Amino acid sequence: MNLDRYSPQNLRRPSSGMINVHPIQRGGILTEEARQVILEWADGYSVCDLCLEGRVDLVKNPPIAEFKRDVAEFLNMDEVRFTAGARHAKFVIMSAFKEKTIVVDSLAHYTSYIAAELNDMKVYEVPNSGYPEFKIEPEKYAETFERVKEETGKYPDLALLTHVDYRYGNLADAKEVGKICREYGIPLILNTAYSSGVMEVDGKKLNADFIVASGHKSWAATAPIGILATNYDFVDDVFRTSKTRGEWSGRAFTKKEVALFGCSPVYGLPIITLMASFPAVVRRIKKWEEEVAKARWFVKEMEKIEGVQLIGERPKNHTLMQFESPAFHSIAKRHKKRGFFLYHELKKRGIVGVQPGMTKNFKINVYGLSWEEVEKVAEAFKDIAESYGLEVED
Amino acid sequence: MSFRRYFQIPYQPVAVKILKEHVKATEENLRFCEAVRRAAGGERIVLDEINLICSGALVSLGFVRGVFSEDSEETKAVIVEPYKGQECDVVLIIATPDRVMKIASFYSQLFGEELRAEFSGENAVCGEATARVKKEGKPNVSFLCEGAREYAGYKREEVVIGFPYETFRRMEEAIKKEEIKSMCGCLMDDLPRDVVEKFESMGFDKATDHFFGFYNGKTVKVYIFRDTNALGLYTSVKFKSEEEAEKAVEKYKGDYVLLKRENWVDVSKILDVDVISEIRKGKFEELLNSELEKIVREAKKLKSL
């Protein structure tokens, strides 16, 4: 065993000092405030020093119990728990709908499907519009509900909408989907892994019964942390507490929430950084329009490169975008580094985050980059294109 | 990473070397299949004509000539030991069908051919997985024989694959270099393989949800609709401004569907054909080329408006 590989020198981050445009990274970049508290709270279960109630969401010092209420207010929901990620939050909700039927959008994250599978749910999909926009039209939810009724004899028990999908960065019309779900009486999970924390998400306005969020993707927190917000209607089912009693010892754990495994595993840096970044998150969502403006500008610049075209909805309403680039792919076919050439060329220019090997189409997120940085990224792509003989408009 | 670890095989691979010279044999009478199983557990065993007690193995491995066999009897000893990279004739793997499935997939990606199983249920480990593999230079899967199951302790669910040494070495090298990669594991569509291959043979590349390629210097995209298998053809025209795009759309008189999105106009047409069945009937290429010709012409016309 070579233990040297774990020395601090060998654990330096390769992307250190570079602009990272990886779609999952931008909203998770820590705030200065979060960085300030990291070392102090870095030890294992650091927030559990004064846990009197046996659950992380009830800890009063640091003020997690109050934070829980603040997050609920911020999302305009009634009750909040912290989870090991948005995926865990979805699993927790679905565990209250075991073996029932769920309708999900066909752009949903794979963890939506897996959470359903883990709870033995039957999954139906809402079709998307296909190439080139891949949009989820709200009325398709109603059509899918009717299809489920035709096939199973009753309407589905639960619906899920991915507010912003991870493939094209399309912003779905959550309000309209929520309205349809209300009309049918079907509770709606809104997966906001790429929206809440960077843009305004108001659960009541959007008619969401559940909101799941990702702290590490969009709330400037260290992984792994997610948020599960719901309304009082569902609290008893989703946050049901343990009823088990040891048959010999008589031990019982009646305060522990079953689907959260008693106490959610966010007992150290994840919850602390989520809290420390929260004031900045509350402020930053008000600047969302400018972030979208940067993304739209970036699209225009990228499309000056021969053969590069945005896929997904236009104009962009989110900072996560996917480009199709047959011209870059043609270069990759004859380049000795094959599809990795683009990754290497970008890295030379101080940019990481485009998936190595991807040239046909690639995803980028420019959230939180300064205008100068967005320009730098666009210039890097144009420079690479020109150096390989592709035409770039002035 | 080793082959064993990569495929998570409980036993060690076994190297078999067939010798034409005498080597001191192990002081124990054994069947060949039994020796292989023990070598898979870490032992080194040398067999010769005296301590190899299975007549089928004596014939298969060339110690003695079968009554109707034309093979000569040249073998004087066989070394059976755990494979650690040493040169040998055949490498044997004891595995369950689910492991064989993964090995076969890896093998076919690396060598471009299927892993075969030719077996008769007789003279299995010695003949089907060792002697035949050495002679033919191709791997083979054996489902074992009564002797192996009854006397050598192979479990009901176990089979043996024999690889020529060079083939096995190449597979280990590919594992070390990570030549065969599975990507993220998300299957983004369930288009049949022959359909994907057909588009690729026509110069199209598969994107996440659709195909794209070039026709007469223009980027074109093809999308197969999930519910009907109908064919969507797309190309785009970029204008200098939204106003120019708007004007061009207003002037356009053709039959194609135009969708203005900012300064781009998507030109598209949905063909009411079942792409998958057309491809299988073999008439697809002509149809697609003719439609691509038309859509590209239409896009160029739009650009000049």
Side-chain angles (χ1 to χ4, degrees):
Chain A
M1 212 182 335
N2 174 14
L3 296 178
D4 281 349
R5 71 182 65 153
Y6 311 115
S7 70
Q9 289 85 344
N10 288 329
L11 291 179
R12 289 206 172 116
R13 198 169 173 184
S15 59
S16 197
M18 295 192 183
I19 298 177
N20 192 338
V21 291
H22 198 298
I24 65 171
Q25 305 286 9
R26 292 306 316 160
I29 304 282
L30 289 196
T31 57
E32 273 312 308
E33 293 81 356
R35 286 178 198 279
Q36 279 172 29
V37 297
I38 278 182
L39 280 179
E40 198 169 328
W41 293 91
D43 309 320
Y45 282 16
S46 56
V47 302
C48 304
D49 288 338
L50 287 174
C51 177
L52 304 174
E53 306 267 2
R55 259 181 24 211
V56 70
D57 63 295
L58 301 174
V59 169
K60 291 194 174 68
N61 183 20
I64 300 172
E66 280 157 353
F67 178 55
K68 185 173 71 168
R69 287 190 282 275
D70 287 338
V71 172
E73 186 185 324
F74 177 63
L75 293 171
N76 201 7
M77 298 292 278
D78 297 332
E79 194 61 79
V80 155
R81 294 291 185 276
F82 304 105
T83 64
R87 65 188 68 198
H88 183 206
K90 286 182 278 190
F91 167 77
V92 170
I93 298 163
M94 291 183 205
S95 74
F97 294 84
K98 230 170 164 42
E99 295 180 9
K100 294 192 171 169
T101 303
I102 185 170
V103 164
V104 305
D105 59 288
S106 52
L107 296 176
H109 195 251
Y110 71 89
T111 52
S112 303
Y113 294 80
I114 289 173
E117 186 172 350
L118 206 49
N119 285 299
D120 298 321
M121 297 185 81
K122 190 164 169 49
V123 179
Y124 283 83
E125 287 179 307
V126 177
N128 64 63
S129 64
Y131 188 89
E133 290 197 297
F134 302 99
K135 282 182 91 162
I136 298 291
E137 304 293 354
E139 60 272 22
K140 294 283 177 194
Y141 268 81
E143 287 174 24
T144 309
F145 294 161
E146 293 298 339
R147 182 161 64 89
V148 173
K149 172 96 189 282
E150 266 173 42
E151 288 184 23
T152 67
K154 61 190 188 81
Y155 288 117
D157 304 284
L158 190 61
L160 180 144
L161 172 68
T162 314
H163 198 196
V164 173
D165 72 274
Y166 71 106
R167 290 167 70 180
Y168 305 103
N170 286 347
L171 176 67
D173 187 346
K175 192 175 178 182
E176 202 50 39
V177 172
K179 206 171 126 197
I180 292 168
C181 290
R182 279 270 182 279
E183 284 163 9
Y184 277 88
I186 297 167
L188 174 68
I189 304 173
L190 186 63
N191 178 5
T192 68
Y194 285 102
S195 55
S196 64
V198 294
M199 60 185 282
E200 188 191 334
V201 171
D202 182 318
K204 298 273 193 303
K205 271 192 206 163
L206 299 178
N207 298 310
D209 298 284
F210 302 99
I211 287 179
V212 301
S214 168
H216 43 266
K217 275 183 182 160
S218 299
W219 291 59
T222 56
I225 190 160
I227 296 163
L228 193 178
T230 187
N231 296 324
Y232 290 130
D233 309 346
F234 297 96
V235 164
D236 289 346
D237 287 339
V238 174
F239 304 137
R240 62 204 176 279
T241 50
S242 171
K243 293 186 174 58
T244 296
R245 183 175 290 274
E247 58 86 25
W248 177 79
S249 67
R251 298 172 70 214
F253 318 93
T254 53
K255 200 174 245 181
K256 302 289 188 188
E257 290 172 340
V258 177
L260 286 136
F261 238 94
C263 176
S264 195
V266 294
Y267 336 91
L269 282 184
I271 190 73
I272 282 293
T273 52
L274 190 76
M275 276 196 287
S277 287
F278 186 59
V281 165
V282 172
R283 287 191 296 271
R284 79 183 189 181
I285 63 161
K286 297 189 172 73
K287 295 181 181 163
W288 177 244
E289 289 308 316
E290 190 182 354
E291 296 295 338
V292 173
K294 280 183 220 164
R296 290 179 181 178
W297 180 87
F298 184 75
V299 170
K300 277 210 170 82
E301 291 305 300
M302 287 293 285
E303 288 186 337
K304 287 180 179 171
I305 301 168
E306 175 190 344
V308 171
Q309 193 180 358
L310 178 83
I311 45 180
E313 69 176 345
R314 300 184 80 103
K316 281 301 300 174
N317 290 308
H318 195 269
T319 55
L320 192 162
M321 53 198 101
Q322 181 172 156
F323 292 98
E324 193 165 64
S325 52
F328 278 131
H329 190 53
S330 300
I331 295 165
K333 282 180 177 171
R334 56 179 193 270
H335 198 284
K336 66 177 177 189
K337 284 196 161 74
R338 312 292 288 178
F340 290 83
F341 95 94
L342 186 59
Y343 168 80
H344 285 287
E345 291 286 3
L346 285 166
K347 204 170 167 195
K348 272 198 266 178
R349 290 162 177 81
I351 294 154
V352 290
V354 168
Q355 197 180 338
M358 294 299 274
T359 49
K360 286 177 189 173
N361 45 303
F362 49 84
K363 295 192 290 182
I364 281 179
N365 191 347
V366 294
Y367 179 77
L369 293 180
S370 65
W371 275 103
E372 290 73 24
E373 287 170 322
V374 177
E375 275 173 36
K376 190 179 169 188
V377 178
E379 284 310 313
F381 274 99
K382 289 197 274 187
D383 188 39
I384 294 165
E386 277 179 334
S387 69
Y388 284 93
L390 298 184
E391 271 190 40
V392 178
E393 288 170 29
D394 288 336
Chain B
M1 191 189 289
S2 69
F3 183 96
R4 181 184 168 206
R5 188 156 186 190
Y6 186 81
F7 290 109
Q8 299 181 3
I9 310 261
Y11 304 106
Q12 296 184 48
V14 174
V16 179
K17 192 156 179 66
I18 299 172
L19 301 170
K20 289 178 185 167
E21 63 270 13
H22 289 283
V23 177
K24 189 174 181 313
T26 303
E27 287 178 4
E28 197 175 357
N29 293 336
L30 292 162
R31 289 167 183 273
F32 177 75
C33 46
E34 194 180 357
V36 168
R37 190 162 180 85
R38 281 174 47 174
E43 287 185 50
R44 181 179 192 269
I45 292 163
V46 180
L47 297 168
D48 65 8
E49 198 176 343
I50 308 299
N51 73 340
L52 178 58
I53 55 166
C54 173
S55 56
L58 283 166
V59 174
S60 300
L61 296 168
F63 283 100
V64 293
R65 198 162 63 159
V67 181
F68 304 109
S69 169
E70 289 172 10
D71 292 341
S72 59
E73 40 189 80
E74 291 179 326
T75 304
K76 302 297 177 203
V78 176
I79 300 173
V80 187
E81 60 188 347
Y83 176 80
K84 303 253 195 269
Q86 72 273 40
E87 208 169 305
C88 57
D89 293 304
V90 172
V91 180
L92 296 170
I93 301 291
I94 303 171
T96 47
D98 62 327
R99 302 290 103 180
V100 178
M101 172 189 79
K102 289 183 188 299
I103 294 167
S105 165
F106 185 95
Y107 178 84
S108 69
Q109 283 185 67
L110 189 62
F111 295 103
E113 62 180 30
E114 291 166 339
L115 183 64
R116 296 298 172 112
E118 289 182 35
F119 56 96
S120 64
E122 288 174 6
N123 295 343
V125 183
C126 54
E128 292 167 358
T130 306
R132 175 185 290 179
V133 170
K134 180 176 186 285
K135 189 176 170 189
E136 296 178 1
K138 291 275 180 199
N140 193 35
V141 182
S142 167
F143 280 58
L144 310 190
C145 56
E146 282 293 340
R149 301 257 181 230
E150 190 70 23
Y151 302 112
Y154 288 81
K155 295 177 195 159
R156 290 180 69 170
E157 64 274 21
E158 285 173 348
V159 297
V160 169
I161 320 174
F163 288 101
Y165 165 69
E166 276 305 328
T167 306
F168 192 80
R169 201 190 54 75
R170 177 74 188 91
M171 290 174 80
E172 282 229 312
E173 184 186 80
I175 290 166
K176 282 197 184 87
K177 289 184 180 168
E178 297 181 16
E179 286 177 49
I180 306 290
K181 286 190 178 180
S182 55
M183 294 301 280
C184 68
C186 297
L187 184 68
M188 288 303 179
D189 60 50
D190 51 3
L191 285 175
R193 198 168 167 170
D194 60 326
V195 172
V196 176
E197 282 171 358
K198 181 64 190 172
F199 278 101
E200 286 175 347
S201 75
M202 293 173 69
F204 280 86
D205 283 301
K206 173 93 174 59
T208 317
D209 268 311
H210 57 283
F211 297 91
F212 66 79
F214 294 94
Y215 194 88
N216 282 348
K218 192 120 188 69
T219 312
V220 289
K221 291 103 180 185
V222 175
Y223 180 80
I224 301 172
F225 286 88
R226 293 279 176 279
D227 41 0
T228 57
N229 291 337
L231 180 69
L233 292 176
Y234 303 84
T235 189
S236 308
V237 180
K238 189 181 179 190
F239 291 90
K240 285 214 171 76
S241 64
E242 290 207 34
E243 294 70 38
E244 270 191 33
E246 186 75 54
K247 276 182 195 160
V249 170
E250 279 168 17
K251 284 187 194 167
Y252 178 74
K253 297 272 185 266
D255 297 332
Y256 286 74
V257 176
L258 302 186
L259 177 65
K260 185 190 107 37
R261 303 193 302 140
E262 296 181 300
N263 57 326
W264 288 81
V265 178
D266 295 320
V267 184
S268 63
K269 184 177 189 180
I270 313 289
L271 294 178
D272 190 17
V273 290
D274 182 329
V275 178
I276 294 173
S277 102
E278 286 296 316
I279 283 176
R280 288 174 181 166
K281 278 190 235 159
K283 296 174 186 166
F284 183 67
E285 196 159 343
E286 203 180 321
L287 167 80
L288 184 62
N289 281 332
S290 138
E291 291 297 336
L292 290 176
E293 172 86 41
K294 287 185 218 162
I295 198 168
V296 167
R297 204 186 314 134
E298 206 70 4
K300 287 180 177 167
K301 201 165 84 186
L302 180 73
K303 178 79 178 168
S304 66
L305 289 177

